[in-house]
Amino acid sequence: MATTKFKNAGNATTNPVENKVRKEIKIKVGPAGIARIVFLNSDGTEAHTAKQFVNLSESDNFVDGKIVPNVYRAGSEIRLKVLFNKPGTYPFMVKCEPLNGNAQYTPGELARNDRFAYQKEQKSYTTGSDGSLVLPLEDFFIGAAGKDQYVFRATDTSGLTVSTGNLEVHRLIYYVELKMRSLTTCAPSLARVEEVYAKHHIKLLKLPALEMAFMPNIGPNDVDKFQAEARKAYSKSLAVGKQPHVVAIAYTGHLAVKRENFRVLQSVVVGPGSAPALITIAAQPDALTLTSEPYFLWYALGPSESWFVSARFIKTGGSKADVINIPREKCTPVPSSSASPQAAYVVQIDVSALPHPTGTIELVVNIVDRMRAGISFSGGNLICVCTKAWWSTVDAKMQNEVIVHELGHKIGMAADGSGKLPDKTGSWYDDAKGHRGDHCFHGLSATQTRYDSDADLNLSKCVMYGAANGLSDFCVNCAPAVRKVDLSDGWEPF
Ligand SMILES: [Zn+2]
Ligand SMILES: [Zn+2]
């Protein structure tokens, strides 16, 4: 009868009177044993499982109560507590065990960067007199790789083992967008960028965007001014409080590079009644192909910058004394299409006022050497993406692709195996084989001497290829490096 009543004692429907029976039950007292091992929260409560933001430093700056619930979820060192079932000092051992499927670091990687390793050693402890112990913080640490999982097991002297639930490794990078005033072409959303990084186990968390001063183009000579303007906005943003784990993404108009004083010579017939001379801005035809790509004039890419340098005419057989300057008003760029009225590689010159029948025009102009899609400025946390190229809007899809690429550079892609980076990927190349910086030739042969032809662009299969190729994801060679990379240093503010 008593047995039946005891079985029911925990039932909510039990008549309270029957509970008196419990007093008659003799609870058999067992030996002291290990009860549990748990993750600690910063308020002293216990957690069975944990999402650990391994790249962050243990600072309240990164705690939002949701994604990072408390400061103990930031950092690579794990706060563990072991409890026995009764007070007293008891010896026990603790071990960190990686789960199957974790990233596998090579000996070279482990030698280069301490943050790639987890604590493999089993450690011995004794509880305090209350039968519990908070383990020293530095004793158990985990590796840098995203989506890795670990459990921590504690064993007492009787051989009884208890385990935590899974600890899952996450990485978090904040970003702040700096948008030039009156620039209407910025991508409305970086959803694709966030999606790609999430796929590779890096959470991107957006901070409120800010406005910065407008500049029509950022060329190599404009970088200091651009950074100064960007810094004015950045310094007022929430990003400052997220350093060093925050990247600034500035949207610009063009990212064109100027080539000055490009000289074109063309034979012409001039004089009253002559048709205007049409001069194509191109290098002298290549001796083998007899063709050469035209260059676009440096047009509407800066308030004080001009495409026109000089135009002169010399009659056939003439000497220096016969040179006639042609004024700028006589020279008119011819748009390459009505859709892009500012894109011109032909100059029409009114020659009707010239006195000589035949001769040569020398036209000297500033031209667009190249247009860049984005830039990852070295030595800081700034990248920029152009929203215009060749005088047309760059669509949001491509802006997302470019930001994945430039942010890829920020996290060390394409990894070259130097310093704290993961090993060099199987499809890594650098400036010596084309483009600028470390890139990925996946999709192309490993034996090529260069990777920057138009054909290469079409065959490339990674977002870290050296030119915008319409792709937004990391390839099979780069993906493991993105997963493994150690982001704990973050970036200095630009
Ligand atoms: Zn690049
Ligand atoms: Zn790649």
Side-chain angles (χ1 to χ4, degrees), residues 396-408:
K397 174 179 175 290
M398 184 168 171
Q399 289 182 43
N400 272 258
E401 291 157 8
V402 170
I403 292 169
V404 172
H405 178 103
E406 302 305 340
L407 199 50

Side-chain angles (χ1 to χ4, degrees), residues 178-311:
L178 308 176
K179 299 181 176 182
M180 287 182 176
R181 208 161 287 128
S182 81
L183 195 63
T184 57
T185 41
C186 306
S189 154
L190 297 190
R192 179 57 183 159
V193 179
E194 293 184 7
E195 181 187 14
V196 169
Y197 278 85
K199 178 180 169 188
H200 298 282
H201 320 306
I202 297 173
K203 165 92 181 156
L204 298 180
L205 199 54
K206 177 180 174 159
L207 301 171
L210 277 97
E211 269 197 346
M212 63 172 282
F214 178 77
M215 292 172 71
N217 180 60
I218 314 297
N221 298 331
D222 306 308
V223 169
D224 288 348
K225 180 169 188 289
F226 166 66
Q227 292 211 10
E229 293 294 349
R231 202 173 287 119
K232 281 185 205 166
Y234 176 87
S235 63
K236 290 182 232 138
S237 79
L238 294 179
V240 175
K242 304 302 182 189
Q243 287 168 185
H245 300 295
V246 62
V247 171
I249 300 170
Y251 296 86
T252 72
H254 283 85
L255 283 175
V257 178
K258 182 160 67 172
R259 195 194 300 183
E260 294 185 325
N261 300 324
F262 188 82
R263 184 167 175 257
V264 186
L265 298 174
Q266 188 163 313
S267 299
V268 287
V269 177
V270 302
S274 299
L278 291 172
I279 300 192
T280 299
I281 309 304
Q284 293 302 307
D286 184 283
L288 293 174
T289 63
L290 296 177
T291 62
S292 61
E293 289 276 311
Y295 287 103
F296 283 93
L297 296 170
W298 188 260
Y299 195 88
L301 292 168
S304 61
E305 294 159 309
S306 163
W307 61 270
F308 183 85
V309 179
S310 66

Side-chain angles (χ1 to χ4, degrees), residues 405-406 409 436 438-439 464-466:
H405 178 103
E406 302 305 340
H409 282 309
R436 285 167 174 76
D438 293 342
H439 290 114
M464 291 313 297
Y465 179 69

Side-chain angles (χ1 to χ4, degrees), residues 1-274:
M1 196 57 187
T3 307
T4 306
K5 285 179 180 172
F6 178 63
K7 278 184 179 172
N8 290 335
N11 188 313
T13 63
T14 304
N15 183 324
V17 177
E18 291 178 86
N19 280 344
K20 290 179 180 171
V21 178
R22 295 190 69 173
K23 291 182 179 171
E24 299 161 13
I25 302 294
K26 293 266 188 278
I27 304 287
K28 195 183 168 196
V29 178
I34 198 160
R36 62 191 185 276
I37 178 169
V38 295
F39 303 112
L40 275 186
N41 296 320
S42 59
D43 65 359
T45 57
E46 302 173 3
H48 182 59
T49 61
K51 286 182 173 178
Q52 193 72 19
F53 289 87
V54 71
N55 64 308
L56 301 179
S57 48
E58 205 179 82
S59 159
D60 285 328
N61 288 349
F62 309 120
V63 176
D64 64 355
K66 288 185 268 181
I67 293 166
V68 184
N70 68 83
V71 75
Y72 286 5
R73 292 292 83 77
S76 63
E77 295 174 328
I78 309 303
R79 305 246 185 190
L80 293 160
K81 184 176 185 180
V82 171
L83 302 96
F84 276 64
N85 60 3
K86 58 172 68 173
T89 55
Y90 310 108
F92 63 95
M93 292 181 296
V94 175
K95 198 167 183 344
C96 170
E97 291 182 11
L99 300 194
N100 288 337
N102 281 9
Q104 298 298 307
Y105 288 103
T106 65
E109 288 171 330
L110 292 168
R112 277 201 303 281
N113 189 339
D114 290 345
R115 301 281 297 229
F116 289 156
Y118 70 94
Q119 177 59 273
K120 283 186 169 167
E121 271 177 53
Q122 178 167 275
K123 300 213 167 237
S124 299
Y125 301 94
T126 301
T127 62
S129 58
D130 69 346
S132 76
L133 185 72
V134 174
L135 306 191
L137 178 60
E138 62 274 15
D139 277 12
F140 283 94
F141 50 86
I142 54 170
K147 210 69 175 179
D148 274 11
Q149 290 185 302
Y150 300 88
V151 294
F152 297 81
R153 298 193 201 285
T155 305
D156 68 15
T157 50
S158 76
L160 181 62
T161 295
V162 291
S163 293
T164 63
N166 289 358
L167 178 139
E168 190 173 78
V169 183
H170 291 247
R171 284 93 56 86
L172 178 61
I173 297 173
Y174 300 86
Y175 73 89
V176 63
E177 294 166 288
L178 308 176
K179 299 181 176 182
M180 287 182 176
R181 208 161 287 128
S182 81
L183 195 63
T184 57
T185 41
C186 306
S189 154
L190 297 190
R192 179 57 183 159
V193 179
E194 293 184 7
E195 181 187 14
V196 169
Y197 278 85
K199 178 180 169 188
H200 298 282
H201 320 306
I202 297 173
K203 165 92 181 156
L204 298 180
L205 199 54
K206 177 180 174 159
L207 301 171
L210 277 97
E211 269 197 346
M212 63 172 282
F214 178 77
M215 292 172 71
N217 180 60
I218 314 297
N221 298 331
D222 306 308
V223 169
D224 288 348
K225 180 169 188 289
F226 166 66
Q227 292 211 10
E229 293 294 349
R231 202 173 287 119
K232 281 185 205 166
Y234 176 87
S235 63
K236 290 182 232 138
S237 79
L238 294 179
V240 175
K242 304 302 182 189
Q243 287 168 185
H245 300 295
V246 62
V247 171
I249 300 170
Y251 296 86
T252 72
H254 283 85
L255 283 175
V257 178
K258 182 160 67 172
R259 195 194 300 183
E260 294 185 325
N261 300 324
F262 188 82
R263 184 167 175 257
V264 186
L265 298 174
Q266 188 163 313
S267 299
V268 287
V269 177
V270 302
S274 299

